[in-house]
Amino acid sequence: MKRIVLTAVGGDVADSVSLEAGAGASPATGEIVVEIEAAPVNGADVLFALGWFGVYPDVPAEMGAEGVGRVVEVGEHVDSALVGQRVAILPSFRFGTWATRTVVPARNVVPVPEDADALQLAMLSVNPATAYALLHDYVELKPGDWVGLNLANSAVGHYVIALARRAGFKTLAVVRREEAAEQVRRLGADLVVLDGDDLGQRVGQALGEAKLRVLFEGTGDPGQTAQLVSAVEDGGTVVAFSSVTGQSPVVPLADLIYRGVSLRSFFILSWLRNTPREQLERVYGELSQLIAEGVISAAVQATYPLEDYRKALHDAQTTGRTGKVLFVPTTSALSR
Ligand SMILES: NC(=O)c1ccc[n+]([C@@H]2O[C@H](COP(=O)([O-])OP(=O)(O)OC[C@H]3O[C@@H](n4cnc5c(N)ncnc54)[C@H](OP(=O)(O)O)[C@@H]3O)[C@@H](O)[C@H]2O)c1
C-alpha cells in the first residue's frame, strides 16, 4: 500500500509531504478498507497542510479529503455485502484518500453508481454538496430568481451554475480572467462580469432592474464583496464559503443596517455533521445520479499517479488552471 503523508505543518506542501509504502492496515470494528480509484487535490488540502484549515493536522497525517473507490474489506459489525460496492468517501481530514487504499469508518462513505466517470465521482463529496447547500439551505429560491457568485470558474462555480440552470435560477457570474469568462459563458451562466474597476457599477448595469437574492462569496476580498453587495436585494443574503485572498469579506455598514443584508457562511464539515444521515444519502444520491447523467461536472486539468505528487501539487496551486488536478492511485479509474 502507498499513501501520501504530511510530515510537517507549513511551508511548500510538496516539501512537507512524502510518499510512504508499507503493509495496509486492517479494518477495526465498524471500519472498511477502500481501494482508491481517484482523489482530487482541493484548496482545502493545501490549507490543511499549512495549518490554516478548520482541522489542525496531527502529524504524521494522511492527506486527501475525498475520493472514490471500491470496498475491498470490512471490519466487524459492518455488512459484508458492502464488499465490492463502489463508494465516495466523505471528508473528515482524519484519514487520507491520496493512497492506494484507505481505512475509514463505514459511515464515512456513500454508495455511488457503477456507470459514472471515476474522476467526476471522486469530486462528489465536497464541491457538488457545497453548491447544493448554497442553493438550498439559505434562501428559498424560485425559478427566475437571480443568484450571484464569484470564483465562478471554480469547480464550486461549475456546480452552482449547472444546478441553478436546472432549477431555473438565473446566475450572475464574476471571474478574474477573460479565458475564465469564456469558460463560464459556455457553462450557461446568464451574465458574466470580469472583476476590475467599477465592478459594482458594471454588475448593476448588467442586471438592470433585477437584484440578486443571494450572493455566494469566495474571494474574501472586502473591496470586491462591498461592490457586489450593492447588487443584492434589500434583506438579501451573502454566503461566505471561501477566502482565496485570506481576508474576511465585509458587508458595508449601510447595506448591513439600512438594507438588512445579512452575511452567513458555509463549512462542509459542519454541514456533514449537522445533516441527518438520511438526508445526506438523498442529496449524494441525487448528485451522483446527475454526475452519471453528465448534468453536473467539473473541468479536469490533469491526473497523476501518487509517485508524481510534486508535479501534481505544483499544478494544483498554479494560477490559470483549466480544471482540477486529481491523483489516480490505482489503474482502475482510467480503465473505466
Ligand atoms: N466552505 C467550504 O466548506 C468549502 C467547500 C468547498 C470549497 N470551498 C472553497 O471554495 C473555493 C473553490 O473551491 P474549488 O475546489 O471549486 O476551487 P478550484 O476549482 O480549484 O478553483 C479555484 C478558484 O479560485 C480562484 N482564485 C484563486 N486565487 C484567487 C485570488 N487570489 N483571487 C481571485 N480568485 C482566485 C481561481 O481563479 P483562476 O482560475 O482565475 O485562478 C478559481 O476560480 C476554494 O477556496 C475552496 O477551498 C469551501
Side-chain angles (χ1 to χ4, degrees):
M1 166 173 147
K2 291 180 205 159
R3 65 180 178 190
I4 294 175
V5 174
L6 182 73
T7 52
V9 179
D12 182 347
V13 61
D15 294 329
S16 53
V17 299
S18 62
L19 181 64
E20 282 186 353
S26 299
T29 301
E31 290 183 337
I32 58 176
V33 180
V34 181
E35 185 167 276
I36 305 291
E37 291 179 76
V41 179
N42 287 324
D45 299 309
V46 176
L47 291 178
F48 175 71
L50 289 169
W52 297 345
F53 190 63
V55 176
Y56 195 82
D58 186 7
V59 289
E62 296 177 21
M63 289 292 296
E66 64 172 340
V68 67
R70 198 169 294 283
V71 178
V72 289
E73 201 181 338
V74 299
E76 271 187 64
H77 300 312
V78 181
D79 185 354
S80 59
L82 211 52
V83 173
Q85 170 74 52
R86 201 182 198 196
V87 293
I89 296 174
L90 307 182
S92 70
F93 291 84
R94 301 285 177 213
F95 41 77
T97 55
W98 298 353
T100 49
R101 288 183 172 203
T102 189
V103 182
V104 302
R107 67 176 179 281
N108 279 78
V109 301
V110 288
V112 291
E114 284 295 332
D115 57 348
D117 177 58
L119 302 182
Q120 294 299 328
L121 286 179
M123 301 184 279
L124 165 72
S125 301
V126 177
N127 287 333
T130 297
Y132 185 96
L134 290 174
L135 287 165
H136 287 88
D137 292 359
Y138 294 87
V139 171
E140 206 169 309
L141 294 165
K142 52 184 191 320
D145 283 347
W146 281 90
V147 304
L149 69 155
N150 51 21
L151 259 57
N153 66 315
S154 67
V156 171
H158 277 60
Y159 298 118
V160 166
I161 291 167
L163 291 173
R165 261 174 79 86
R166 193 163 173 273
F169 313 146
K170 293 187 176 299
T171 45
L172 171 110
V174 178
V175 294
R176 62 170 174 168
R177 300 179 285 117
E178 184 47 50
E179 307 89 295
E182 195 40 50
Q183 187 184 27
V184 169
R185 278 186 206 107
R186 283 197 303 272
L187 288 175
D190 294 281
L191 290 172
V192 183
V193 181
L194 266 184
D195 185 22
D197 291 343
D198 306 323
L199 175 65
Q201 210 178 332
R202 287 183 289 114
V203 163
Q205 277 164 2
L207 281 170
E209 295 293 300
K211 285 282 183 187
L212 303 175
R213 299 219 50 224
V214 60
L215 168 69
F216 307 134
E217 205 302 300
T219 65
D221 176 352
Q224 183 175 139
T225 318
Q227 302 252 351
L228 293 176
V229 165
S230 61
V232 174
E233 68 180 13
D234 290 3
T237 303
V238 179
V239 188
F241 68 95
S242 147
S243 175
V244 286
T245 63
Q247 301 177 81
S248 297
V250 171
V251 174
L253 193 61
D255 297 296
L256 189 70
I257 293 182
Y258 300 138
R259 298 206 304 113
V261 174
S262 56
L263 177 60
R264 299 182 64 191
S265 66
F266 174 81
F267 182 38
I268 187 75
L269 298 187
S270 305
W271 182 79
L272 287 168
R273 199 169 43 244
N274 299 333
T275 304
R277 177 75 195 182
E278 210 174 281
Q279 194 181 333
L280 281 184
E281 288 189 5
R282 185 183 53 73
V283 170
Y284 280 118
E286 193 181 319
L287 291 170
S288 60
Q289 200 47 48
L290 291 175
I291 287 175
E293 291 165 12
V295 176
I296 60 169
S297 61
V300 171
Q301 171 163 296
T303 61
Y304 292 95
L306 294 175
E307 287 74 10
D308 290 347
Y309 69 86
R310 286 189 160 276
K311 184 147 178 33
L313 292 171
H314 174 265
D315 275 15
Q317 295 177 82
T318 304
T319 300
R321 263 186 297 113
T322 54
K324 302 293 285 187
V325 171
L326 295 97
F327 285 112
V328 181
T330 55
T331 50
S332 46
L334 294 181
S335 58
R336 249 161 221 291

